[in-house]
Amino acid sequence: MRPSAVRLLNILVPIKRAVDYAVKIRVNPEQTGIDLNVKHSMNPFDEIAVEEAIRIRERLKDAVKSIKVVTIGPPKSAETLRTALAMGADSAIHVEIPESAPAPEPLGVAKTLKALIERQKEGVDVVILGKQAIDDDAGQTGQMLAGLMGWSQATFASKVEVDPEQKIANITREIDGGLEELRCKFPVIITTDLRQVHLHVSTKPRYASLPNIMKAKKKPVEKLTAAEIGVDLTPRLETIKVTEPPKRVGGGKVASVDELLARLKEAGVTGKRA
Amino acid sequence: MLKARIPLLNRVLARSYATAASPHALVFLEHHQGDLDSASLSALTAASQLGGQVTGLVVGSSEEVPSVVEKAKKLNGLTTLLHCASPQYSTLLPETVSPLFEKLLSQNSPFTHVVSAHSSSAKSILPRVAAKLDVPAVSDITSLEHDAASGSTTFTRPIYAGNAISTVRASSSIPIKFFTVRSTAFAAAGAGDAAESEVKALDSVEVRVVSGGRALKNAETFQSTLYPLADALGAAVGASRAAVDAGYADNSLQVGQTGKVVAPELYMALGISGAIQHLAGMKDSKLIVAINKDPDAPIFQVADVGLVADLFEVVPELVEKLKQ
């Protein structure tokens, strides 16, 4: 035991390719899902996860040995991996699933990540994920992975401080009604919230510069299939249909405050007498 | 330490368990400053819509739980109320609460559904438990329908930030269906005067236990040696029968055949020889560590990690290094 020895951190960042957040989505006529023939990009929460990993390296320099990104998805997800590599990750793993395959569920993804972690010869100290994907909005994968690994977890993190020597992470979490600070021992699973971006414009996920995009093309991407790592990604929940939410219809405009008050009264809304 | 109580629980609940299709929901009732969270009351309404029994679960510190239980037992729609108070639950860390859920839900569990609000606390805990039980979870549901004949439950939930509604079915192949409830989609359950649910206390499930035996000499050294280590590990304290009989520790701490049965992640036996009766109470622990002066102590036959040493020398060293 040499507590002063610099711990070489290995960080894993799972990311997902999702329909771009700005796209107005449309349910397909068969009601089996949504029209996916639209712009895709990295899940915004995952971008923050990648950014956070890179910042940890910027703070700790050589103490971070590797930042590995991983995605489970169709061939096109490779673009998402390249984006993360261009942001500053070192290498990538792509667990490829056929274009036509149904989207894996969080439990399947968590099992795949567990299998991948177990394959890492140097181990994994910190896993940083987005708190949820903006397509399925499940928000489960990080917690499930923590459960499967038996590791500590810090969800909805808005601030992460890693101490590689003590092998601990101090994390500020967004919880209902406030913030909470946690201290977790390595290995730890962290899921990121958006807070940092809202607070400081300067902490937005970085754009990849052209030279970095060129460099990213040379970074290693390991390709695997679910079968190769012995994981079954078949969904266990059956999606019966996907529908449009009920449309709200505007009720017209009123001409004066009195009319507005009349409408409010009609709806049973009255003022409180002092 | 739940193990000892579970058979009792099952017996009581077995009456309604005869028909497998009958749903029985476990609702995680969250509370804040002595009051039930209204989002949890919405989750209770959703659970009632499954059409079966509903058991509530209140977890927290010993200061909070009693007053919450008083309020919760009067809730409409609740058949049974389980509660569990322990200092380790004063902050609901998923790492410490998950084992309690796992105990409740494993082995002959009567529960078919696990329900909570889509709150930051429940969102952190439920998926972790679901993964341990190898079942998927459904987040943030806005409606549900249970088909008792087939044992399947159909949920609707918003996806793509609410721009689409997905209808998903969890079939009977998923033995326990986990879901979190969008509170705005269900009215909060109210309290009625008529029915009071049956209230039962549960023992907390310790994740780590540090246990001492007769070698600790007296009550004072038992405390001064064991407690700093337990603090450093975030562990509960246990004792062997010998230590209890000699008056070093309270009866309630006894681990063994006649005491409590524990199966923590880590069980540290300090100065415990390892009599069969003691082993009966802790041999299912995930990792057993033994520190004993006697290299022939039977405890070393079951310990994953053994250290032959004087515990008064090594425990302070251990505490010191754990703090680093």
Side-chain angles (χ1 to χ4, degrees):
Chain A
M1 289 283 277
R2 285 169 303 158
S4 60
V6 173
R7 168 82 184 168
L8 293 173
L9 264 184
N10 290 301
I11 304 176
L12 186 74
V13 186
I15 58 175
K16 183 178 187 180
R17 175 180 181 264
V19 169
D20 189 83
Y21 69 94
V23 169
K24 172 106 182 67
I25 65 122
R26 259 197 293 268
V27 171
N28 65 23
E30 303 82 38
Q31 294 200 329
T32 54
I34 70 146
D35 177 13
L36 290 171
N37 218 351
V38 293
K39 187 187 174 199
H40 281 63
S41 51
M42 196 191 306
N43 177 41
F45 291 100
D46 302 350
E47 255 184 319
I48 292 171
V50 175
E51 177 66 30
E52 193 56 56
I54 295 163
R55 271 159 202 263
I56 290 173
R57 166 175 280 163
E58 284 169 353
R59 286 197 297 270
L60 302 175
K61 304 279 190 291
D62 293 340
V64 175
K65 184 163 191 202
S66 76
I67 298 174
K68 200 171 256 189
V69 287
V70 51
T71 200
I72 299 151
K76 277 183 186 156
S77 311
E79 296 162 19
T80 312
L81 286 178
R82 290 291 169 198
T83 307
L85 292 171
M87 285 172 75
D90 306 318
S91 62
I93 306 172
H94 187 179
V95 179
E96 206 173 283
I97 58 174
E99 193 70 55
S100 56
E105 288 171 352
L107 184 57
V109 173
K111 285 180 180 175
T112 310
L113 294 173
K114 176 174 189 267
L116 289 175
I117 288 170
E118 282 160 0
R119 284 168 68 105
Q120 302 305 309
K121 285 193 191 74
E122 292 175 330
V124 172
D125 306 285
V126 177
V127 183
I128 311 178
L129 309 88
K131 74 163 180 177
Q132 72 188 75
I134 59 162
D135 47 10
D136 67 8
D137 284 334
Q140 299 169 353
T141 306
Q143 296 89 306
M144 287 185 155
L145 179 61
L148 294 177
M149 300 301 298
W151 290 1
S152 38
Q153 70 177 53
T155 45
F156 323 131
S158 58
K159 194 175 169 202
V160 178
E161 274 167 28
V162 175
D163 183 341
E165 286 180 24
Q166 307 279 333
K167 299 190 192 181
I168 52 166
N170 290 318
I171 289 140
T172 306
R173 300 180 61 220
E174 300 273 313
I175 57 168
D176 299 337
L179 295 173
E180 181 181 79
E181 284 181 35
L182 282 184
R183 172 168 296 182
C184 298
K185 285 209 179 97
F186 287 178
V188 60
I189 311 241
I190 299 165
T191 76
T192 56
D193 215 322
L194 283 176
R195 175 81 159 222
Q196 279 176 315
V197 180
H198 290 312
L199 276 184
H200 317 283
V201 182
S202 61
T203 58
K204 267 188 186 157
R206 66 199 63 199
Y207 286 107
S209 65
L210 189 60
N212 285 342
I213 293 172
M214 298 312 287
K215 267 188 239 165
K217 291 187 175 165
K218 297 201 180 81
K219 290 181 178 173
V221 176
E222 185 185 358
K223 271 201 185 178
L224 294 164
T225 63
E228 276 172 312
I229 46 178
V231 183
D232 182 5
L233 286 174
T234 317
R236 304 224 342 239
L237 296 162
E238 178 192 357
T239 299
I240 297 170
K241 62 177 178 179
V242 174
T243 52
E244 298 269 356
K247 285 232 167 20
R248 292 192 76 113
V249 188
K253 299 189 176 74
V254 291
S256 69
V257 171
D258 288 338
E259 268 183 65
L260 173 62
L261 284 169
R263 289 284 288 274
L264 286 176
K265 203 174 172 188
E266 238 175 81
V269 181
T270 53
K272 278 186 192 142
R273 292 211 178 88
Chain B
M1 299 187 191
L2 199 58
K3 216 172 196 173
R5 298 267 182 122
I6 280 279
L8 181 93
L9 179 68
N10 284 338
R11 257 203 312 280
V12 177
L13 299 170
R15 271 175 278 147
S16 63
Y17 190 45
T19 49
S22 164
H24 188 161
L26 179 70
V27 186
F28 179 42
L29 295 171
E30 294 176 74
H31 51 91
H32 190 67
Q33 293 179 339
D35 281 319
L36 287 152
D37 282 347
S38 76
S40 287
L41 302 179
S42 299
L44 172 56
T45 302
S48 306
Q49 290 180 11
L50 292 164
Q53 288 194 66
V54 181
T55 294
L57 173 65
V58 173
V59 184
S61 70
S62 318
E63 294 86 56
E64 303 162 316
V65 166
S67 66
V68 177
V69 165
E70 277 312 301
K71 289 171 190 159
K73 71 181 182 190
K74 298 196 181 86
L75 287 173
N76 288 326
L78 215 53
T79 34
T80 312
L81 182 65
L82 305 175
H83 59 92
C84 186
S86 162
Q88 65 172 340
Y89 299 140
S90 57
T91 308
L92 287 185
L93 291 178
E95 291 87 339
T96 48
V97 186
S98 299
L100 177 70
F101 275 91
E102 284 161 39
K103 281 275 180 184
L104 267 175
L105 297 168
S106 58
Q107 292 165 20
N108 305 320
S109 156
F111 302 112
T112 57
H113 295 78
V114 178
V115 189
S116 79
H118 194 62
S119 66
S120 58
S121 172
K123 279 194 284 187
S124 301
I125 298 165
L126 257 57
R128 188 178 174 110
V129 179
K132 284 264 196 158
L133 300 171
D134 196 26
V135 291
V138 186
S139 296
D140 208 15
I141 65 136
T142 49
S143 77
L144 79 170
E145 205 175 328
H146 184 71
D147 180 23
S150 68
S152 68
T153 313
T154 306
F155 304 96
T156 63
R157 57 180 300 268
I159 54 174
Y160 291 94
N163 289 305
I165 307 294
S166 174
T167 305
V168 294
R169 178 157 54 206
S171 73
S172 56
S173 67
I174 299 166
I176 303 180
K177 299 165 181 75
F178 280 72
F179 61 96
T180 59
V181 173
R182 178 168 286 206
S183 57
T184 49
F186 296 87
D193 298 326
E196 262 197 14
S197 51
E198 197 179 346
V199 178
K200 292 193 199 100
L202 297 172
D203 280 328
S204 58
V205 178
E206 310 294 354
V207 181
R208 293 167 173 176
V209 176
V210 173
S211 229
R214 188 160 37 197
L216 283 145
K217 284 191 189 142
N218 57 45
E220 217 162 74
T221 50
F222 186 92
Q223 286 214 354
S224 62
T225 313
L226 246 51
Y227 283 71
L229 179 60
D231 285 345
L233 286 166
V237 172
S240 72
R241 188 188 172 103
V244 170
D245 285 352
Y248 304 169
D250 190 76
N251 246 333
S252 62
L253 299 185
Q254 190 185 323
V255 172
Q257 199 172 21
T258 51
K260 280 181 178 160
V261 175
V262 295
E265 299 265 313
L266 169 72
Y267 187 87
M268 265 201 180
L270 307 178
I272 292 175
S273 63
I276 289 171
Q277 292 75 11
H278 186 77
L279 298 183
M282 45 64 81
K283 66 173 165 34
D284 289 332
S285 305
K286 212 174 221 174
L287 183 76
I288 299 173
V289 176
I291 301 177
N292 207 306
K293 255 202 306 212
D294 174 10
D296 298 323
I299 190 83
F300 286 122
Q301 287 164 25
V302 298
D304 300 289
V305 184
L307 175 63
V308 180
D310 181 349
L311 65 94
F312 293 108
E313 282 170 21
V314 294
V315 171
E317 189 187 338
L318 196 57
V319 172
E320 203 49 49
K321 289 191 171 155
L322 280 168
K323 279 184 183 162
Q324 277 172 18

